[in-house]
Amino acid sequence: MFTNIVGEYMTNNDKKFLKVLNQDENDIKSISKEMNISYLITKILLNRGIKNKKDIEKFLNPTYDDFHDPFLLNDMKLASKRIMEAIELDEKIWIYGDYDVDGVTSTSLLVNFFFQIGIKVQFYIPNRHSEGYGLNKSAIDYIKMQKGNLIITVDCGITSISEADYANEIGIDMIITDHHTPSESLPKAIAVINPSRHDSTYPFKKLAGVGVAFKLVQAVSFEFEIEVDYLSLLPIVAIGTVADIVDLIDENRLIVKKGLDLIKETSNLGIKSLIEVTGL
């Protein structure tokens, strides 16, 4: 179907060469007609390697059923079990985030979700200038002083081996959710949820941090036997996913497409305020 062609263009008076893909016109026209989509959209999809009818339909019109099972992520069952235990024992749960958009939306997502199911949690976002990125022992000490029992990290923690050891030493359990590349060893936590783990068999590796946090929401919702409130939560996940500049394919495509649609009717006051001040 594809043939490589070489074109040339000019920039700063220097001749450059650009390799592009060209498809058979009959293939484009046939798929365009069969799928009832424009010639241009068809060509773009083919250029992106989305070739057959099933893949095109899934890309253009994803459904919530296209989400992968959250329990396919390593340690997800351990994480949901520990969270349920913390809730039953009325332990203090802390969400430990990051100061960028992915980290803040991840934190917001979990705080909002737990609030919806009647669980009050605390959150900690380190100061960009005085603390820097990721877990630090002073913050863990502070959470201990506040009688915290369980820390759930979002968008950080995958390389915080010494910090996880310290939390263990002072009696705080930790669940790590992250999407960054791990080192050779994983932190010693109750659960380490990351599709980028070297031993991960999860079908999609490119979730943003907020996407990984959302998989935890799905898993805990399953344990509680409740439906995920997509209307209020998915717009938050979509904002963080877009801001983290991850590939908009597979679950990321589903998150962003559905999330942007729901932003128009969300009840989330923060998002409503953002829409108002930006004139959207």
Side-chain angles (χ1 to χ4, degrees), residues 2-8 17-23 43:
F2 299 121
T3 57
N4 289 328
I5 62 172
V6 176
E8 62 182 51
F17 290 91
L18 174 70
K19 180 177 283 190
V20 298
L21 287 171
N22 190 28
Q23 296 85 27
K43 192 167 186 178

Side-chain angles (χ1 to χ4, degrees), residues 252-263:
N252 290 340
R253 161 75 179 173
L254 169 53
I255 287 167
V256 172
K257 188 175 190 306
K258 294 293 188 183
L260 289 179
D261 286 340
L262 294 175
I263 279 178

Side-chain angles (χ1 to χ4, degrees), residues 214-232:
F214 180 67
K215 302 309 294 185
L216 182 64
V217 167
Q218 289 183 314
V220 176
S221 296
F222 177 83
E223 297 288 3
F224 270 98
E225 299 182 349
I226 58 174
E227 295 292 325
V228 175
D229 183 0
Y230 290 113
L231 178 58
S232 67

